[in-house]
Amino acid sequence: MEMTVSRILDGKAIAKTVRAEVSARVRALRARGITPGLTVVLVGDDPASQVYVRNKDKAAAEAGFAARTLRLPATTRQAELLDLIDALNRDPGVHGVLLQLPLPKGLDAEAVLERLDPAKDVDGLTPRNVAALWRGEDALVPCTPAGCIELLDRHGIAIEGKRAVVIGRSQLVGKPLAALLLARNATVTIAHSRSRDLAGVAREAEILVAAVGRAKLVKASWVRPGAVVLDVGINRQEDGRLCGDVDFHDVLPVVGAITPVPGGVGPMTIAMLLANTVRAAARSAGIDPSALGSA
Ligand code: NAD
Protein backbone atom coordinates (compact mmCIF):
# COMPACT_ATOMS: atom_id res chain seq x y z
CA MET A 1 0.00 0.00 0.00
CA GLU A 2 1.11 3.55 -0.63
CA MET A 3 0.13 4.82 2.81
CA THR A 4 1.38 4.17 6.29
CA VAL A 5 -0.28 6.90 8.38
CA SER A 6 -4.06 6.68 8.55
CA ARG A 7 -5.89 9.56 6.98
CA ILE A 8 -9.43 10.77 7.39
CA LEU A 9 -10.99 11.27 3.97
CA ASP A 10 -12.88 14.53 4.34
CA GLY A 11 -16.00 14.22 2.19
CA LYS A 12 -17.34 17.53 3.38
CA ALA A 13 -14.34 19.42 2.01
CA ILE A 14 -14.29 17.52 -1.29
CA ALA A 15 -18.04 17.97 -1.69
CA LYS A 16 -17.58 21.70 -1.19
CA THR A 17 -14.97 21.77 -3.96
CA VAL A 18 -17.20 19.77 -6.30
CA ARG A 19 -20.14 22.05 -5.55
CA ALA A 20 -18.06 25.14 -6.28
CA GLU A 21 -17.07 23.60 -9.62
CA VAL A 22 -20.71 22.80 -10.31
CA SER A 23 -21.69 26.41 -9.56
CA ALA A 24 -19.09 27.63 -12.05
CA ARG A 25 -20.52 25.29 -14.68
CA VAL A 26 -24.03 26.48 -13.92
CA ARG A 27 -22.86 30.06 -14.49
CA ALA A 28 -21.31 29.03 -17.81
CA LEU A 29 -24.56 27.36 -18.85
CA ARG A 30 -26.69 30.27 -17.73
CA ALA A 31 -24.50 32.58 -19.79
CA ARG A 32 -25.67 30.51 -22.75
CA GLY A 33 -29.29 30.82 -21.74
CA ILE A 34 -29.65 27.43 -20.04
CA THR A 35 -30.64 27.18 -16.38
CA PRO A 36 -30.18 23.57 -15.22
CA GLY A 37 -33.51 22.33 -13.90
CA LEU A 38 -33.79 19.64 -11.24
CA THR A 39 -37.16 18.25 -10.18
CA VAL A 40 -37.37 15.98 -7.16
CA VAL A 41 -40.48 13.84 -6.91
CA LEU A 42 -41.45 12.92 -3.37
CA VAL A 43 -44.44 10.66 -2.81
CA GLY A 44 -45.80 10.21 0.71
CA ASP A 45 -44.34 11.44 3.98
CA ASP A 46 -41.43 9.19 4.94
CA PRO A 47 -39.55 11.36 7.50
CA ALA A 48 -36.03 10.44 6.33
CA SER A 49 -36.99 11.19 2.73
CA GLN A 50 -38.33 14.61 3.78
CA VAL A 51 -34.91 15.49 5.20
CA TYR A 52 -32.99 14.23 2.15
CA VAL A 53 -35.27 16.09 -0.23
CA ARG A 54 -34.97 19.36 1.69
CA ASN A 55 -31.18 19.09 1.57
CA LYS A 56 -31.16 18.35 -2.16
CA ASP A 57 -33.47 21.26 -2.90
CA LYS A 58 -31.37 23.66 -0.86
CA ALA A 59 -28.07 22.56 -2.41
CA ALA A 60 -29.50 22.80 -5.93
CA ALA A 61 -30.88 26.29 -5.33
CA GLU A 62 -27.54 27.41 -3.84
CA ALA A 63 -25.73 26.16 -6.94
CA GLY A 64 -27.97 28.27 -9.19
CA PHE A 65 -30.31 25.54 -10.44
CA ALA A 66 -34.00 25.92 -11.09
CA ALA A 67 -34.86 23.42 -8.35
CA ARG A 68 -38.23 22.28 -7.13
CA THR A 69 -39.76 19.41 -5.23
CA LEU A 70 -43.10 17.99 -6.28
CA ARG A 71 -44.79 16.56 -3.21
CA LEU A 72 -47.49 13.99 -3.88
CA PRO A 73 -49.72 12.31 -1.31
CA ALA A 74 -49.13 8.68 -0.32
CA THR A 75 -52.49 7.89 -1.93
CA THR A 76 -51.15 8.78 -5.40
CA ARG A 77 -51.99 6.08 -7.95
CA GLN A 78 -49.44 4.46 -10.23
CA ALA A 79 -51.12 5.89 -13.36
CA GLU A 80 -50.95 9.43 -11.95
CA LEU A 81 -47.27 9.02 -11.18
CA LEU A 82 -46.58 7.73 -14.70
CA ASP A 83 -48.45 10.69 -16.17
CA LEU A 84 -46.32 13.04 -14.12
CA ILE A 85 -43.13 11.34 -15.35
CA ASP A 86 -44.36 11.70 -18.95
CA ALA A 87 -44.94 15.42 -18.37
CA LEU A 88 -41.46 15.86 -16.87
CA ASN A 89 -39.93 13.93 -19.77
CA ARG A 90 -41.56 16.41 -22.16
CA ASP A 91 -40.67 19.56 -20.20
CA PRO A 92 -37.61 21.21 -21.78
CA GLY A 93 -36.89 23.16 -18.57
CA VAL A 94 -36.43 19.94 -16.61
CA HIS A 95 -32.99 18.41 -17.17
CA GLY A 96 -32.90 16.09 -14.18
CA VAL A 97 -35.60 14.11 -12.39
CA LEU A 98 -34.99 12.42 -9.09
CA LEU A 99 -37.59 10.00 -7.81
CA GLN A 100 -37.09 9.84 -4.06
CA LEU A 101 -37.14 6.20 -2.93
CA PRO A 102 -38.64 4.23 -1.35
CA LEU A 103 -42.12 4.81 -2.75
CA PRO A 104 -45.13 4.13 -0.52
CA LYS A 105 -46.51 0.59 -0.61
CA GLY A 106 -48.60 -0.20 -3.66
CA LEU A 107 -46.49 1.85 -6.08
CA ASP A 108 -44.08 0.13 -8.46
CA ALA A 109 -40.78 2.04 -8.49
CA GLU A 110 -39.30 -0.13 -11.25
CA ALA A 111 -42.16 0.70 -13.62
CA VAL A 112 -41.80 4.41 -12.85
CA LEU A 113 -38.05 4.31 -13.48
CA GLU A 114 -38.63 2.47 -16.77
CA ARG A 115 -40.80 5.36 -17.86
CA LEU A 116 -38.25 8.07 -17.06
CA ASP A 117 -36.17 9.47 -19.92
CA PRO A 118 -32.64 8.03 -19.34
CA ALA A 119 -31.18 11.42 -20.34
CA LYS A 120 -32.93 12.99 -17.31
CA ASP A 121 -32.19 10.09 -14.95
CA VAL A 122 -29.74 11.92 -12.67
CA ASP A 123 -29.87 9.08 -10.13
CA GLY A 124 -28.67 6.58 -12.76
CA LEU A 125 -31.35 4.02 -11.96
CA THR A 126 -33.20 3.54 -15.26
CA PRO A 127 -32.57 0.22 -17.03
CA ARG A 128 -30.73 1.98 -19.87
CA ASN A 129 -28.26 3.69 -17.53
CA VAL A 130 -27.73 0.54 -15.47
CA ALA A 131 -26.96 -1.43 -18.64
CA ALA A 132 -24.64 1.30 -19.94
CA LEU A 133 -22.71 1.30 -16.67
CA TRP A 134 -22.14 -2.47 -16.77
CA ARG A 135 -21.26 -2.34 -20.46
CA GLY A 136 -18.61 0.26 -19.70
CA GLU A 137 -20.41 2.92 -21.72
CA ASP A 138 -20.94 6.52 -20.80
CA ALA A 139 -23.89 6.75 -18.40
CA LEU A 140 -25.49 8.83 -15.69
CA VAL A 141 -24.22 7.02 -12.60
CA PRO A 142 -25.92 6.69 -9.19
CA CYS A 143 -24.80 9.56 -6.99
CA THR A 144 -23.46 7.77 -3.90
CA PRO A 145 -21.23 5.34 -5.85
CA ALA A 146 -20.05 8.19 -8.09
CA GLY A 147 -19.22 10.14 -4.93
CA CYS A 148 -17.13 7.26 -3.60
CA ILE A 149 -15.01 7.19 -6.77
CA GLU A 150 -14.68 10.98 -6.71
CA LEU A 151 -13.45 10.81 -3.10
CA LEU A 152 -10.76 8.29 -4.04
CA ASP A 153 -9.70 10.23 -7.14
CA ARG A 154 -9.47 13.56 -5.39
CA HIS A 155 -7.32 12.05 -2.64
CA GLY A 156 -5.01 10.58 -5.26
CA ILE A 157 -5.83 7.00 -4.24
CA ALA A 158 -5.19 4.67 -7.17
CA ILE A 159 -7.88 2.12 -8.05
CA GLU A 160 -6.34 0.24 -10.97
CA GLY A 161 -5.15 -3.25 -10.14
CA LYS A 162 -6.29 -3.04 -6.51
CA ARG A 163 -8.29 -5.70 -4.69
CA ALA A 164 -11.65 -4.08 -3.90
CA VAL A 165 -14.36 -5.61 -1.76
CA VAL A 166 -17.83 -4.08 -1.67
CA ILE A 167 -20.07 -5.33 1.14
CA GLY A 168 -23.69 -4.85 0.05
CA ARG A 169 -25.36 -5.52 -3.29
CA SER A 170 -28.17 -2.97 -3.52
CA GLN A 171 -29.17 -1.42 -6.86
CA LEU A 172 -28.54 2.00 -5.36
CA VAL A 173 -25.05 1.53 -3.92
CA GLY A 174 -23.34 -1.87 -3.85
CA LYS A 175 -23.85 -3.04 -7.43
CA PRO A 176 -23.18 0.25 -9.22
CA LEU A 177 -20.11 0.92 -7.08
CA ALA A 178 -18.76 -2.53 -7.94
CA ALA A 179 -19.33 -1.73 -11.63
CA LEU A 180 -17.49 1.59 -11.31
CA LEU A 181 -14.53 0.00 -9.52
CA LEU A 182 -14.42 -2.68 -12.21
CA ALA A 183 -14.52 -0.03 -14.93
CA ARG A 184 -11.47 1.49 -13.24
CA ASN A 185 -9.67 -1.85 -13.39
CA ALA A 186 -9.93 -2.93 -9.78
CA THR A 187 -10.34 -6.63 -9.01
CA VAL A 188 -13.78 -6.56 -7.44
CA THR A 189 -15.60 -8.84 -5.03
CA ILE A 190 -19.22 -8.17 -4.05
CA ALA A 191 -20.00 -9.57 -0.60
CA HIS A 192 -23.45 -9.65 1.00
CA SER A 193 -25.63 -11.09 3.74
CA ARG A 194 -25.15 -14.66 2.50
CA SER A 195 -21.39 -14.46 2.04
CA ARG A 196 -19.43 -17.06 3.98
CA ASP A 197 -16.53 -15.76 6.10
CA LEU A 198 -17.35 -12.11 5.49
CA ALA A 199 -14.47 -10.99 7.71
CA GLY A 200 -12.01 -13.10 5.70
CA VAL A 201 -13.32 -11.73 2.39
CA ALA A 202 -13.17 -8.16 3.70
CA ARG A 203 -9.60 -8.69 4.89
CA GLU A 204 -8.46 -9.28 1.29
CA ALA A 205 -9.45 -5.74 0.36
CA GLU A 206 -7.05 -2.92 -0.38
CA ILE A 207 -10.19 -0.84 -0.94
CA LEU A 208 -13.01 -1.91 1.37
CA VAL A 209 -16.50 -0.48 1.00
CA ALA A 210 -19.25 -1.06 3.54
CA ALA A 211 -22.77 -0.36 2.19
CA VAL A 212 -24.90 -2.50 4.44
CA GLY A 213 -26.94 -0.50 6.94
CA ARG A 214 -25.65 -2.30 10.07
CA ALA A 215 -24.06 -0.08 12.70
CA LYS A 216 -20.36 -0.79 13.34
CA LEU A 217 -20.43 -4.16 11.55
CA VAL A 218 -16.86 -3.88 10.26
CA LYS A 219 -14.23 -4.36 12.98
CA ALA A 220 -10.46 -3.99 12.97
CA SER A 221 -10.05 -7.74 12.45
CA TRP A 222 -11.91 -7.39 9.12
CA VAL A 223 -9.45 -4.84 7.74
CA ARG A 224 -6.19 -5.47 5.95
CA PRO A 225 -3.49 -3.19 7.38
CA GLY A 226 -3.21 -0.06 5.26
CA ALA A 227 -6.52 -0.59 3.47
CA VAL A 228 -8.65 2.33 2.31
CA VAL A 229 -12.09 2.05 3.90
CA LEU A 230 -15.18 3.78 2.51
CA ASP A 231 -18.09 3.73 4.94
CA VAL A 232 -21.37 4.32 3.11
CA GLY A 233 -23.67 3.28 5.97
CA ILE A 234 -25.84 5.78 7.79
CA ASN A 235 -27.26 4.32 10.98
CA ARG A 236 -28.92 6.02 13.89
CA GLN A 237 -27.63 4.88 17.27
CA GLU A 238 -29.71 4.63 20.43
CA ASP A 239 -28.38 7.99 21.64
CA GLY A 240 -29.63 9.58 18.40
CA ARG A 241 -26.18 10.08 16.88
CA LEU A 242 -25.30 8.80 13.43
CA CYS A 243 -22.72 6.11 12.81
CA GLY A 244 -21.52 4.12 9.83
CA ASP A 245 -21.27 0.42 9.03
CA VAL A 246 -17.65 0.54 10.19
CA ASP A 247 -16.55 0.65 13.81
CA PHE A 248 -14.52 3.80 13.17
CA HIS A 249 -12.43 3.95 16.34
CA ASP A 250 -11.75 0.22 16.31
CA VAL A 251 -10.43 0.19 12.72
CA LEU A 252 -8.65 3.57 12.74
CA PRO A 253 -5.25 2.23 13.89
CA VAL A 254 -5.31 -0.40 11.11
CA VAL A 255 -6.50 1.52 8.06
CA GLY A 256 -4.50 3.57 5.57
CA ALA A 257 -7.43 5.94 5.10
CA ILE A 258 -11.09 6.04 6.05
CA THR A 259 -14.23 8.11 5.53
CA PRO A 260 -15.95 9.26 8.72
CA VAL A 261 -19.72 9.17 9.32
CA PRO A 262 -21.04 11.80 9.15
CA GLY A 263 -18.84 13.91 6.87
CA GLY A 264 -17.49 11.25 4.52
CA VAL A 265 -19.48 9.68 1.70
CA GLY A 266 -22.76 11.39 2.68
CA PRO A 267 -21.95 14.95 1.54
CA MET A 268 -20.63 13.58 -1.76
CA THR A 269 -24.02 12.19 -2.73
CA ILE A 270 -25.70 15.57 -3.15
CA ALA A 271 -22.61 17.04 -4.81
CA MET A 272 -22.72 14.29 -7.42
CA LEU A 273 -26.46 14.77 -7.94
CA LEU A 274 -25.73 18.38 -8.84
CA ALA A 275 -22.84 17.34 -11.09
CA ASN A 276 -25.08 14.81 -12.88
CA THR A 277 -27.80 17.41 -13.41
CA VAL A 278 -25.36 19.90 -14.92
CA ARG A 279 -24.10 17.17 -17.23
CA ALA A 280 -27.64 16.31 -18.27
CA ALA A 281 -28.44 19.99 -18.89
CA ALA A 282 -25.31 20.50 -20.98
CA ARG A 283 -26.00 17.40 -23.03
CA SER A 284 -29.59 18.40 -23.69
CA ALA A 285 -28.26 21.58 -25.30
CA GLY A 286 -25.65 19.69 -27.30
CA ILE A 287 -22.80 21.08 -25.20
CA ASP A 288 -19.92 18.81 -24.23
CA PRO A 289 -20.02 18.92 -20.38
CA SER A 290 -16.22 18.79 -20.19
CA ALA A 291 -16.11 22.09 -22.11
CA LEU A 292 -17.58 23.74 -19.00
CA GLY A 293 -14.65 22.90 -16.68
CA SER A 294 -14.13 20.08 -14.19
CA ALA A 295 -16.68 18.13 -12.05
P1 NAD B 1 -29.98 -2.02 1.22
O1 NAD B 1 -30.70 -2.39 2.47
O2 NAD B 1 -30.73 -1.87 -0.04
O3 NAD B 1 -28.83 -3.07 0.96
C1 NAD B 1 -28.02 -3.56 1.98
C2 NAD B 1 -27.13 -4.66 1.45
O4 NAD B 1 -26.34 -5.13 2.53
C3 NAD B 1 -27.87 -5.84 0.88
O5 NAD B 1 -27.38 -6.08 -0.42
C4 NAD B 1 -27.52 -7.02 1.79
O6 NAD B 1 -27.18 -8.20 1.07
C5 NAD B 1 -26.31 -6.55 2.53
N1 NAD B 1 -26.35 -6.99 3.93
C6 NAD B 1 -27.36 -6.90 4.79
N2 NAD B 1 -26.99 -7.40 5.98
C7 NAD B 1 -25.74 -7.84 5.85
C8 NAD B 1 -24.82 -8.44 6.73
N3 NAD B 1 -25.13 -8.70 7.99
N4 NAD B 1 -23.62 -8.74 6.25
C9 NAD B 1 -23.28 -8.46 4.98
N5 NAD B 1 -24.10 -7.88 4.12
C10 NAD B 1 -25.31 -7.57 4.54
O7 NAD B 1 -29.19 -0.69 1.60
P2 NAD B 1 -28.49 0.43 0.67
O8 NAD B 1 -29.52 1.29 0.05
O9 NAD B 1 -27.44 -0.15 -0.18
O10 NAD B 1 -27.80 1.30 1.82
C11 NAD B 1 -26.80 0.74 2.65
C12 NAD B 1 -26.43 1.74 3.72
O11 NAD B 1 -25.92 2.91 3.10
C13 NAD B 1 -27.59 2.22 4.58
O12 NAD B 1 -27.10 2.47 5.88
C14 NAD B 1 -28.01 3.51 3.93
O13 NAD B 1 -28.61 4.39 4.86
C15 NAD B 1 -26.68 4.03 3.49
N6 NAD B 1 -26.75 4.94 2.34
C16 NAD B 1 -26.00 6.06 2.41
C17 NAD B 1 -26.00 6.95 1.37
C18 NAD B 1 -25.12 8.16 1.46
O14 NAD B 1 -25.40 9.17 0.85
N7 NAD B 1 -24.03 8.11 2.22
C19 NAD B 1 -26.76 6.72 0.23
C20 NAD B 1 -27.50 5.55 0.16
C21 NAD B 1 -27.48 4.66 1.23
Side-chain angles (χ1 to χ4, degrees):
M1 302 294 293
E2 68 254 49
M3 287 162 298
T4 46
V5 181
S6 72
R7 287 192 293 162
I8 312 290
L9 303 177
D10 186 347
K12 228 167 141 177
I14 303 279
K16 202 170 160 201
T17 305
V18 172
R19 282 164 63 162
E21 291 172 8
V22 166
S23 294
R25 291 178 136 205
V26 171
R27 282 194 296 277
L29 278 173
R30 288 176 75 141
R32 301 186 193 201
I34 304 154
T35 301
L38 172 66
T39 298
V40 178
V41 178
L42 174 63
V43 189
D45 37 34
D46 177 60
S49 293
Q50 305 271 358
V51 177
Y52 295 144
V53 161
R54 236 189 339 266
N55 291 340
K56 286 170 188 170
D57 232 7
K58 191 165 158 260
E62 275 172 19
F65 290 65
R68 63 173 175 175
T69 299
L70 301 178
R71 292 185 165 77
L72 309 181
T75 51
T76 302
R77 294 196 314 271
Q78 182 79 12
E80 292 173 304
L81 196 49
L82 292 177
D83 284 348
L84 173 65
I85 297 294
D86 288 342
L88 294 172
N89 285 343
R90 283 193 304 267
D91 186 339
V94 174
H95 303 105
V97 175
L98 186 135
L99 178 69
Q100 184 65 41
L101 299 174
L103 293 180
K105 257 178 48 200
L107 291 172
D108 178 357
E110 285 303 316
V112 179
L113 289 170
E114 268 177 39
R115 195 73 156 246
L116 178 61
D117 180 351
K120 298 190 177 187
D121 169 28
V122 285
D123 227 0
L125 294 176
T126 57
R128 174 104 63 88
N129 279 319
V130 174
L133 173 60
W134 284 101
R135 291 166 71 132
E137 298 164 4
D138 194 35
L140 284 166
V141 174
C143 304
T144 301
C148 289
I149 300 293
E150 197 74 29
L151 262 179
L152 294 175
D153 284 347
R154 295 201 185 223
H155 282 95
I157 296 167
I159 301 173
E160 179 155 328
K162 294 264 178 75
R163 292 274 311 181
V165 174
V166 179
I167 312 178
R169 57 176 162 183
S170 70
Q171 309 289 353
L172 195 62
V173 187
K175 280 185 195 167
L177 183 52
L180 285 172
L181 290 163
L182 182 62
R184 296 289 296 273
N185 298 318
T187 302
V188 184
T189 299
I190 306 177
H192 46 80
S193 53
R194 309 283 178 88
S195 293
R196 227 184 314 129
D197 185 22
L198 197 53
V201 174
R203 224 169 14 245
E204 291 173 14
E206 296 170 281
I207 298 173
L208 177 62
V209 184
V212 179
R214 297 270 185 287
K216 301 181 181 176
L217 177 76
V218 176
K219 304 289 181 191
S221 62
W222 294 37
V223 177
R224 170 168 166 164
V228 173
V229 179
L230 301 180
D231 189 354
V232 180
I234 302 176
N235 309 289
R236 196 158 292 280
Q237 302 178 94
E238 278 164 16
D239 63 6
R241 286 187 308 156
L242 295 181
C243 78
D245 292 342
V246 178
D247 191 335
F248 185 85
H249 294 291
D250 195 46
V251 306
L252 195 58
V254 185
V255 301
I258 184 168
T259 60
V261 177
V265 174
M268 294 301 295
T269 298
I270 289 184
M272 300 317 289
L273 171 66
L274 301 181
N276 275 353
T277 306
V278 166
R279 258 180 77 194
R283 288 244 174 87
S284 78
I287 298 168
D288 176 2
S290 60
L292 299 169
S294 51

